[in-house]
Amino acid sequence: MRKKLAAGNWKMNGTAAALEEVTALAGAHPRPVADILICPPATLIDRMAAVAKGTAIALGGQDCHAAHTGAHTGDIAAHMLADAGATHVILGHSERRTDHGETDADVRAKTLAALDAGLVAVVCVGETEGQRDAGETLNVIGTQLAGSLPDEGVTGATVVVAYEPVWAIGTGRVPTIEQIAEVHDFMRAELAKRFGDVAEGIRLLYGGSVKPANAAEIFATSNVDGALVGGASLKAVDFSAIISALEVA
Ligand code: PGA
């Protein structure tokens, strides 16, 4: 049985004032049935860890470097995120792939670094609108999955996969339930081919314009074990409603 996971991706949003959202969220979910994860900007992880201490909220980074240390101005190593209080890290988000030219090979190297540091890697895949229109969705997802996940160390406890159609991120547009189910069932089958029985334990999140209003329907979908939520994770009241929908799904 896979434990459900509600993950919030704050992206480049949030300063000290936003810490009160975490306090409010923790208050609303003292003993959650689902796992709750917030991935704030790296600048906030340390302080958020202090606020989240003793609560059920786990913290994650939004990216890490593949190397352990070195001359990489502006970058952060996986073990540094862990040192700051993170237990997870999002890798291969489409905004990283687009803004920073990250390839599947980069994401795979970062995933290895994350696992090495004891972090759970939340590895993102997703097709563009053009790729979907061209009928390439499953090919794209299959290629990204194959290239972004390493051969070693992948288990239900170490890796989470997030399906995030690029055209659904921050747009208010959401795939149909059939489209989500098709990709999630496909990902489960691909993981099973490569990792065998271990695949059954790997949580598959949907991400892209998840809101309180559409969460219940998405969470009722085949092989959807939770969500990676951007905009609607910034306010405790919205994220809390999504968590509650996940818990009753
Ligand atoms: P969104 O972002 O919920 O704001 O669409 C999701 C994501 O990019 O993880």
Side-chain angles (χ1 to χ4, degrees), residues 94-248:
S94 74
E95 286 150 19
R96 299 288 318 172
R97 291 177 186 264
T98 303
D99 296 354
H100 301 274
E102 289 187 11
T103 64
D104 292 336
D106 293 331
V107 178
R108 179 196 290 237
K110 289 172 181 225
T111 302
L112 280 170
L115 302 189
D116 200 45
L119 297 178
V120 177
V122 181
V123 176
C124 303
V125 296
E127 83 286 1
T128 63
E129 185 161 35
Q131 289 165 334
R132 176 162 284 278
D133 290 346
E136 291 169 4
T137 298
L138 297 186
N139 273 344
V140 169
I141 301 301
T143 302
Q144 289 182 340
L145 260 189
S148 302
L149 294 180
D151 292 325
E152 303 296 320
V154 174
T155 73
T158 59
V159 168
V160 173
V161 175
Y163 168 54
E164 298 207 309
V166 177
W167 51 274
I169 296 175
T171 59
R173 295 171 57 203
V174 179
T176 64
I177 294 309
E178 290 73 25
Q179 288 171 328
I180 296 175
E182 180 187 37
V183 173
H184 279 241
D185 291 349
F186 172 75
M187 295 197 300
R188 180 77 63 209
E190 289 293 293
L191 291 170
K193 268 194 236 159
R194 182 161 171 204
F195 299 109
D197 291 347
V198 161
E200 264 309 298
I202 298 175
R203 291 174 294 178
L204 305 181
L205 309 184
Y206 168 77
S209 296
V210 177
K211 309 273 182 255
N214 60 22
E217 196 185 7
I218 291 169
F219 294 147
T221 307
S222 167
N223 275 312
V224 173
D225 303 309
L228 181 54
V229 184
S233 72
L234 294 172
K235 289 281 165 239
V237 58
D238 292 333
F239 197 34
S240 174
I242 291 169
I243 294 164
S244 297
L246 181 60
E247 293 197 312
V248 299

Side-chain angles (χ1 to χ4, degrees), residues 1-5 32-36 201 203 205 225-226 246:
M1 200 44 192
R2 295 179 294 273
K3 193 162 181 200
K4 294 168 182 175
L5 171 62
V33 180
D35 285 338
I36 302 175
R203 291 174 294 178
L205 309 184
D225 303 309
L246 181 60

